[in-house]
Amino acid sequence: MAKTGKIVSLLIILALVLVALPFPQANVAKANSCPSHVWVAPPPVGNDTTGDGTQAKPFATIQKGINTVCWNGTVHVAAGTYQQSLHIDESQNLLGAGAPMTIIEGDGGTVVTITSTPSSTNTISGFTITNGHLVYCMWHPAEEQVLHAGIKLPSLERLTQLFGIGYLYGGGIEIGDTHIVTINDCVIKDNEASYGGGIYNEGQLYMNRCTVSNNQARYDGGGIHNYYAGIYADSGRMWLTNCTISNN
């Protein structure tokens, strides 16, 4: 009994210590104090270190704006070229200064990935989204060029198929299950992936006045791959209005 009593006492002390420990408050702080509007501009005007996301002191990267703005908030992006890949995991909106002037170039992988909670809404307006590359190869068969020591090897992507590891989806934009995404006045071009070179959609996609061109897929959906996942009834749905899909 004495041994049991000591164990119980130790457990109580441990619980009190855990309660007293300071835990990160990032999410709580964001929920309590985050802005509904954030501004981004290319350097030297924008700066992620000294900027605070206001119009007077904008951030330099779009991802910093996404990480800072509130749920259902808007990130206002000034004209310029931003070489970065974006991950949106909440209901948020991106507003560019117009597709010809506001360019997001991928820096490896999908340019824009949207994995917010199911039934969340996201709006992306006024961007060119380009240079997303999600096909990793040791040997590029289209060019018949051997890149490693004169020995033809299957692409790393093909190896993932052989071993059941997975595929590479959405060179320009990847939309996860049931997410509701509206894309307005955007150009999605010159992206590449296994499936959905321009866009891979498992959610509900609304596109208005957009151009999807010169994208490539190694298998299906050079421009757009619209996929019904079968898990959610509303997945893989798409509505296009006054859009041009060409040369994919």
Side-chain angles (χ1 to χ4, degrees), residues 141-227:
E143 297 179 358
E144 290 295 328
Q145 179 180 1
V146 180
L147 301 182
H148 285 265
I151 301 172
K152 286 189 176 183
L153 297 172
S155 68
L156 293 178
E157 176 207 36
R158 185 61 54 82
L159 292 177
T160 65
Q161 296 177 48
L162 294 175
F163 291 100
I165 298 173
Y167 297 102
L168 303 170
Y169 302 112
I173 299 174
E174 180 187 3
I175 301 169
D177 293 338
T178 75
H179 310 302
I180 303 169
V181 179
T182 300
I183 304 176
N184 299 317
D185 305 301
C186 286
V187 175
I188 296 97
K189 67 175 185 176
D190 300 324
N191 302 285
E192 184 181 11
S194 301
Y195 292 87
I199 301 172
Y200 179 84
N201 175 46
E202 287 189 11
Q204 299 177 54
L205 173 61
Y206 298 82
M207 294 184 70
N208 303 296
R209 304 172 301 279
C210 292
T211 298
V212 181
S213 64
N214 298 312
N215 303 285
Q216 299 181 48
R218 193 61 63 86
Y219 301 105
D220 294 318
I224 303 173
H225 186 93
N226 202 50
Y227 181 73

Side-chain angles (χ1 to χ4, degrees), residues 81-86 103-112 128-133 171-172 190-191:
T81 298
Y82 301 82
Q83 189 171 21
Q84 52 197 263
S85 295
L86 308 179
I103 301 167
I104 307 175
E105 286 192 351
D107 61 357
T110 302
V111 182
V112 181
T128 291
I129 297 171
T130 187
N131 201 34
H133 186 77
D190 300 324
N191 302 285

Side-chain angles (χ1 to χ4, degrees), residues 7-30:
I7 293 173
V8 171
S9 299
L10 288 172
L11 290 174
I12 292 172
I13 293 170
L14 179 61
L16 291 173
V17 170
L18 289 174
V19 169
L21 285 175
F23 287 93
Q25 297 295 316
N27 292 334
V28 174
K30 181 174 180 179

